[in-house]
Amino acid sequence: MAYETLIVEIEDNVALIRLNRPDALNALNSTLLGELSKALAAADKDDAVRCIIITGSEKAFAAGADIKEMAEKGFVEMFGEDFFAAEAEAIIRTRKPIIAAVSGYALGGGCELAMACDFIICSDTAKFGQPEINLGIVAGLGGTQRLTRFVGKSKSMDMHLTGRFMDAAEAERCGLVSRVVPAKDLLTEAKKAGAKIAEKSVLTAMVVKECVSRSYETTLREGTLFERRAFHALFASEDQKEGMAAFLEKRTPQFRDK
Ligand code: CAA
């Protein structure tokens, strides 16, 4: 499928979705977010896809929601459209693992999009920020909630209240990103991580994703119960039999996503 604001390639069972509005530093307008929702749904359904990567350009993952598109809107319009609600849902509804590969600016909605993915690998040039306060607004794609859960209240307040940017080293130190790599290696490293995930059973990967994501939604007791039931349930899968047999027979497992 051809998109106006995205470039999508599938290679070695990994879908690479590249945000592509270079003139606006990949600012997230409704066309881009609508297309991203469609591309994620398509990748989720496609048996040839086992992992998804979302990336931007070297200069910007995404510099936030499109300010030009929002500037003239009023409350009634924003509320009436439930602006960003469907798009935010589409990202978290995706069941296959999503890696955000971030280089350059990941600001406002860009930072929030990266945080809505399952984990973030960033380049040493990455800059994260929630500068909405400078525009007289607050984050609208989950920033106040996700950043706080990821890095704690103090740093989240600092980021949201001062609007300052965080560099890659700080992002790694505070647990916002899983790894930092040299800018020139970002896509190679993200694809390597994607390929590693693509080797696993998709069924198991989706269960792992559900369990880890659950830790942000519920209490420790409920979360561990959810995990234990998922652990029990996977013993009904062929992939559990295959994974354990392969270990015992000292061979590589052949998962069939069943
Ligand atoms: N929306 C629309 N256009 C944007 C944009 C955005 N968020 N960010 C950058 N652009 C556009 C600029 O307007 C400019 O276009 P023109 O050439 O047509 O003027 C082009 O991208 C290049 O940007 P700059 O000239 O500003 O580039 P720079 O290198 O000097 O600065 C930057 C880069 C620091 C990222 C700066 O562009 C910037 O501060 N951008 C806005 C960041 C921001 O405030 N993001 C939050 C948006 S609100 C939000 O996201 C709400 C939410 O939570 C959902």
Side-chain angles (χ1 to χ4, degrees):
M1 185 166 175
Y3 297 100
E4 193 186 315
T5 60
L6 306 177
I7 299 168
V8 181
E9 294 159 16
I10 300 172
E11 196 184 301
D12 298 332
N13 298 118
V14 178
L16 177 69
I17 302 179
R18 191 190 288 273
L19 313 181
N20 186 36
R21 290 190 70 211
D23 296 343
L25 301 184
N26 292 331
L28 308 172
N29 65 2
S30 10
T31 306
L32 186 150
L33 284 172
E35 291 190 341
L36 182 60
S37 304
K38 284 192 189 129
L40 287 172
D44 225 18
K45 261 201 248 151
D46 187 342
D47 289 340
V49 174
R50 307 174 72 79
C51 183
I52 301 162
I53 299 172
I54 302 180
T55 195
S57 66
E58 212 177 311
K59 179 163 182 192
F61 177 72
D66 191 314
I67 300 166
K68 288 171 195 156
E69 187 178 66
M70 292 183 299
E72 297 305 319
K73 288 187 189 277
F75 167 75
V76 172
E77 199 180 348
M78 293 295 272
F79 180 73
E81 289 176 17
D82 209 357
F83 201 76
F84 280 164
E87 293 85 352
E89 270 304 305
I91 300 161
I92 56 173
R93 238 190 352 251
T94 308
R95 300 186 73 201
K96 289 178 185 164
I98 311 175
I99 303 170
V102 174
S103 183
Y105 296 110
L107 304 177
C111 184
E112 295 167 282
L113 170 61
M115 290 191 291
C117 296
D118 297 310
F119 64 97
I120 304 173
I121 298 179
C122 79
S123 79
D124 48 11
T125 63
K127 285 190 171 34
F128 297 89
Q130 297 289 164
E132 288 90 343
I133 195 164
N134 298 330
L135 303 168
I137 56 167
V138 65
L141 257 173
T144 60
Q145 305 305 298
R146 286 202 178 88
L147 190 63
T148 309
R149 281 165 165 79
F150 294 173
V151 307
K153 176 182 163 188
S154 188
K155 198 177 282 285
S156 177
M157 280 287 191
D158 175 3
M159 300 299 292
H160 285 283
L161 287 172
T162 66
R164 75 174 176 90
F165 300 165
M166 189 196 281
D167 67 17
E170 185 179 0
E172 187 178 36
R173 218 165 41 238
C174 69
L176 178 59
V177 304
S178 72
R179 354 179 172 163
V180 180
V181 299
K184 65 174 178 25
D185 301 332
L186 178 67
L187 271 191
T188 313
E189 291 300 321
K191 284 181 182 177
K192 263 195 227 164
K196 250 306 159 229
I197 295 168
E199 285 171 8
K200 323 290 181 206
S201 158
V202 172
L203 176 87
T204 316
M206 291 195 306
V207 173
V208 169
K209 171 168 170 158
E210 274 188 7
C211 287
V212 177
S213 302
R214 196 72 170 203
S215 70
Y216 283 99
E217 312 283 342
T218 190
T219 62
L220 181 61
R221 197 172 174 80
E222 287 303 316
T224 48
L225 176 61
F226 183 86
E227 178 199 84
R228 196 157 57 246
R229 291 292 174 255
F231 168 63
H232 295 160
L234 283 174
F235 283 76
S237 72
E238 288 179 17
D239 287 340
Q240 173 267 327
K241 298 287 172 284
E242 169 60 12
M244 292 194 179
F247 175 80
L248 295 172
E249 292 160 19
K250 302 188 188 305
R251 61 174 174 81
T252 307
Q254 301 296 318
F255 292 122
R256 299 176 59 220
D257 308 327
K258 287 181 180 170

